[in-house]
Amino acid sequence: MYQYQHGKTGSNRELIRVENLVKYFPVRAGLLQRVVNHVRAVDDVSFTIKEGETLGLVGESGCGKTTVGRTMLRLIEPTSGSIIFDDRDISQLKGREMKDIRREMQIIFQDPYASLDPRMPVGDSVMEGLNIHGIGTPQRRFEIMMEVMKWVGLEEYHARRYPHEFSGGQRQRIGIARALALMPKFVICDEPVSALDVSIQSQILNILKEIQSEFHLTYLFIAHNLSVVEHISDRVAVMYLGKVVEMTTRDELYRNPLHPYTKALMSAIPIPNPHLKRERTILTGDIPSPLNPPNGCRFHTRCPFAMDICSQEEPVFHETKLDHWVACWLTD
């Protein structure tokens, strides 16, 4: 039996600590392709994730959620900041050391169609990480592949088929199996259900929760659907234009959101009762460009409660009460 050797779910031990993470993408122009500006995709983001916990990361499209996840895995190199994984700063690791760490940190990609090699049987895709890290004998790698395929609800004969022979939900199961094959401690779920039908979304979410419970995994769950985040997360961080503006436990956030942006997102969640209506907060204007973010609070150009200070000084990300952090002048 393929066994995980991780700590117990609910441990208070920090598995991941992100400190002042920054990722700027250069913008080049002219004949010599000189750098003329930077896209500030992630700008001074900090948070922790405890062992066995799921941190939901939410926000509008383009706010930097996926860039945070990929930078944490060093799929994209950070501009600055620290990524402490299991008491090691992986932002400084290179070569063999980084390769060994990658075995413990995996990602489930958003697009189940583009994330699989169309010319490779799905069984080989699941085994690819095992082959790269040289785990066990070829026979043992084959056995591991078959086992993780069963974990996600696929049959043995599926291993010989190609990606185009599967539905979107089945492809995402294959993506989950590929991430689990290396027995990681930490998995980044990058909007794993956003491309799927609603009925299939619930199946994939239940698989993720069951696997987490059984194998004591730690998740960063990236999404823009707050209903999905409520279902799977223990704590939630809200991002806007490259910055985390609010972070607290799931129950506290949905009961008592403090940041105006969070309140606007919450007001868009549909109520499953045709006789009840939620009071909507409609944000006016477009999201500012990350090439030239506004001064002060980045949300002040769309905030219905903006004050003079909001456009002049950036609010400090502070703890308003136990484990409820927010960056807003209204809470000072």
Side-chain angles (χ1 to χ4, degrees):
M1 179 66 180
Y2 200 33
Q3 295 288 343
Y4 275 70
Q5 302 294 328
H6 302 164
K8 293 183 178 180
T9 302
S11 165
N12 285 323
R13 174 177 174 267
E14 283 182 3
L15 182 67
I16 287 262
R17 186 166 74 254
V18 175
E19 296 179 342
N20 309 115
L21 185 65
V22 173
K23 178 58 187 178
Y24 289 176
F25 293 97
V27 177
R28 301 178 185 274
L31 186 63
L32 299 178
Q33 289 293 289
R34 290 192 176 96
V35 176
V36 297
N37 206 340
H38 288 88
V39 176
R40 302 179 185 184
V42 178
D43 201 355
D44 195 19
V45 166
S46 300
F47 56 82
T48 62
I49 310 177
K50 295 178 182 178
E51 201 168 41
E53 181 184 41
T54 299
L55 175 67
L57 188 60
V58 302
E60 292 170 294
S61 296
C63 71
K65 308 184 298 295
T66 294
T67 304
V68 167
R70 294 188 177 219
T71 306
M72 287 172 66
L73 296 186
R74 298 268 309 275
L75 298 178
I76 301 172
E77 290 298 324
T79 302
S80 64
S82 300
I83 305 148
I84 315 297
F85 173 74
D86 214 5
D87 299 325
R88 299 179 69 186
D89 187 354
I90 68 169
S91 59
Q92 306 300 322
L93 298 183
K94 297 181 180 179
R96 182 72 193 186
E97 286 184 314
M98 190 61 218
K99 181 180 178 182
D100 291 341
I101 286 290
R102 289 191 190 283
R103 180 177 168 181
E104 300 181 7
M105 306 172 75
Q106 291 292 303
I107 184 170
I108 300 168
F109 292 100
Q110 175 180 358
D111 189 346
Y113 296 89
S115 61
L116 296 173
D117 188 338
R119 298 165 297 179
M120 184 182 290
V122 298
D124 291 352
S125 290
V126 173
M127 283 194 295
E128 192 170 18
L130 300 170
N131 295 332
I132 289 171
H133 289 274
I135 296 173
T137 63
Q139 177 60 30
R140 181 61 186 139
R141 293 196 284 270
F142 180 81
E143 293 170 358
I144 291 172
M145 179 269 291
M146 287 298 187
E147 194 161 352
V148 295
M149 293 276 280
K150 289 180 181 177
W151 288 350
V152 298
L154 296 172
E155 302 296 335
E156 292 186 5
Y157 64 86
H158 286 139
R160 298 185 295 273
R161 293 185 175 180
Y162 288 84
H164 71 270
E165 299 180 73
F166 294 92
S167 67
Q170 287 175 317
R171 292 188 200 194
Q172 199 60 285
R173 290 170 190 257
I174 295 163
I176 295 170
R178 183 176 56 183
L180 293 177
L182 287 168
M183 296 189 298
K185 293 181 180 178
F186 175 59
V187 179
I188 291 179
C189 306
D190 184 11
E191 302 199 35
V193 297
S194 64
L196 307 177
D197 293 337
V198 174
S199 59
I200 305 300
Q201 287 183 12
S202 60
Q203 295 176 20
I204 298 300
L205 290 174
N206 288 336
I207 288 173
L208 289 172
K209 291 188 73 171
E210 289 168 7
I211 289 171
Q212 181 181 36
S213 176
E214 185 169 355
F215 302 118
H216 316 305
L217 295 174
T218 303
Y219 289 154
L220 174 67
F221 192 91
I222 299 169
H224 57 258
N225 186 330
L226 284 164
S227 299
V228 169
V229 170
E230 183 180 18
H231 179 68
I232 198 168
S233 300
D234 299 303
R235 288 189 303 130
V236 182
V238 181
M239 277 192 76
Y240 181 79
L241 206 62
K243 286 185 174 288
V244 174
V245 297
E246 186 165 4
M247 181 166 60
T248 186
T249 61
R250 173 193 60 195
D251 294 340
E252 171 68 12
L253 187 80
Y254 284 80
R255 181 177 61 247
N256 183 32
L258 296 179
H259 198 282
Y261 177 61
T262 308
K263 292 178 181 179
L265 293 179
M266 293 293 182
S267 74
I269 300 175
I271 298 175
N273 186 333
H275 302 293
L276 296 177
K277 288 186 177 182
R278 194 188 301 273
E279 185 177 345
R280 288 293 309 274
T281 300
I282 306 298
L283 298 178
T284 58
D286 296 325
I287 302 176
S289 170
L291 279 169
N292 186 27
N295 294 327
C297 173
R298 296 190 174 185
F299 185 60
H300 84 265
T301 58
R302 304 171 72 199
C303 180
F305 310 106
M307 304 175 290
D308 290 341
I309 193 173
C310 298
S311 60
Q312 299 165 5
E313 296 182 37
E314 184 176 338
V316 177
F317 192 62
H318 64 287
E319 192 172 21
T320 58
K321 57 181 177 179
L322 183 62
D323 204 23
H324 195 154
W325 297 76
V326 66
C328 181
W329 287 114
L330 292 171
T331 62
D332 280 3

